Amino acid sequence: RTPGGSSSGSAAAVADFMLPLAFGTQTAGSIIRPAAYCGVVGYKPSFGTLHRAGMKVCAESLDTIGVMARSVADCALAMAALTGRDLGDPGKRRERPPRLGMTLGHAPDEANPETLALLHHVAAACRRAGAEVSDFPLPPALHRAAELHPWLMNMETRQGLAWEYMERRAAISPVLLERLDWAGGFPPDRLDEARRAAAEARAVFTDASVGFDAILTPSAPVEAPEGLHYTGDATFNLLWTTLWGPCVTVPAGQGPNGLPLGVQIVGRMGEDGATLSTAEWVAALMR
């Protein structure tokens, strides 16, 4: 089975107790998806939380450094130590249960039956524990941002890898090369359009999510796919990455083959401490 996307080694190493903590990077879903596949906690912080100096940047507007661990508390501790931020104690008793907005995102038909069942199982457990869980219909601006994410990611990656693309084309993997070639087939104003759509979606999400502590949504469409030729689908991650807010996946069950499934807790930009607290509250119910 694939351990996931580009941060898959980190997820597998943490899951196998080789490491207590590992870095990951996310441009679409490469922290959340592999962490979910491997049954560990993945934390993609708000965009820019951990500075990217020294990192090979692909997509300037999206690349985010995060961490994976076997608990939400370890993720919070690590990011606080790395950045000097106070992310609080996720395990501290809350004053009240959270208010959660539940959604399957911009592509609800992509969720397999086990993923859909898991989301409703988690929502029911949250309600029994006192949480308010309501449907969160996506505003049109968020659908548009998700639609344009491939242009934003691949056109910026073509810029970020311009030297490699020009000078070392034969050394680039066929999958990446196909995406870079595809991105070169559009005028530069398509990238401008994608950036404007992303900025609008961030503003709309901030307003639309008022009244919710976080959004509850799947981490991946299915459990880890068979084989190593395919690293899985970032459908349930790419929108939230575009919105720049914190995302946390926590283990929440098993699929039909006994492999891990996770749910994703999504917050507003800059509300990382609160999002981690909500994620730990959900994770504790699932343990």
Side-chain angles (χ1 to χ4, degrees):
R1 301 274 176 165
T2 178
S6 62
S7 300
S8 54
S10 294
V14 169
D16 197 42
F17 287 78
M18 297 177 184
L19 302 167
L21 178 78
F23 286 111
T25 61
Q26 183 155 308
T27 308
S30 291
I31 292 174
I32 300 299
R33 187 172 76 258
Y37 284 171
C38 294
V40 300
V41 177
Y43 166 38
K44 183 207 77 68
S46 292
F47 180 77
T49 296
L50 189 57
H51 200 281
R52 298 178 305 192
M55 170 184 156
K56 175 62 175 178
V57 174
C58 286
E60 185 67 36
S61 298
L62 298 168
D63 289 356
T64 309
I65 304 173
V67 292
M68 301 179 193
R70 288 184 292 274
S71 72
V72 176
D74 281 357
C75 286
L77 177 65
M79 192 58 65
L82 289 163
T83 64
R85 295 172 181 267
D86 180 6
L87 296 176
D89 176 6
K92 184 179 180 181
R93 183 177 177 85
R94 299 173 61 95
E95 294 181 1
R96 57 165 176 78
R99 296 181 294 257
L100 300 172
M102 185 173 70
T103 181
L104 285 170
H106 67 283
D109 294 340
E110 296 298 318
N112 269 31
E114 63 266 25
T115 297
L116 184 60
L118 177 78
L119 187 65
H120 286 288
H121 169 71
V122 173
C126 290
R127 290 189 181 105
R128 288 194 298 271
E132 298 176 28
V133 184
S134 308
D135 287 338
F136 179 71
L138 289 191
L142 272 64
H143 281 278
R144 181 61 174 161
E147 176 188 349
L148 291 177
H149 174 275
W151 281 271
L152 181 59
M153 180 177 74
N154 291 305
M155 293 182 79
E156 287 194 344
T157 299
R158 185 178 165 104
Q159 294 176 345
L161 300 179
W163 183 89
E164 291 85 350
Y165 185 73
M166 295 295 295
E167 301 294 333
R168 295 292 185 270
R169 182 184 176 91
I172 298 176
S173 71
V175 172
L176 178 55
L177 190 58
E178 180 182 2
R179 292 177 181 176
L180 297 179
D181 287 341
W182 175 85
F186 300 95
D189 60 5
R190 176 59 63 90
L191 177 55
D192 298 334
E193 179 186 359
R195 286 171 172 165
R196 286 194 299 271
E200 180 184 358
R202 290 172 199 130
V204 168
F205 176 69
T206 298
D207 293 337
S209 61
V210 168
F212 294 113
D213 294 298
I215 303 300
L216 177 68
T217 191
S219 301
V222 296
E223 62 185 359
E226 264 190 281
L228 299 178
H229 62 286
Y230 174 55
T231 62
D233 192 334
T235 296
F236 289 118
N237 315 125
L238 59 86
L239 170 62
W240 313 115
T241 304
T242 304
L243 297 182
W244 284 0
C247 306
V248 186
T249 182
V250 297
Q254 293 182 335
N257 295 290
L259 297 171
L261 293 174
V263 290
Q264 184 176 190
I265 311 301
V266 177
R268 288 175 288 271
M269 174 76 173
E271 297 185 8
D272 291 54
T275 304
L276 287 160
S277 173
T278 301
E280 172 55 26
W281 189 88
V282 173
L285 293 180
M286 297 296 104
R287 287 198 284 268

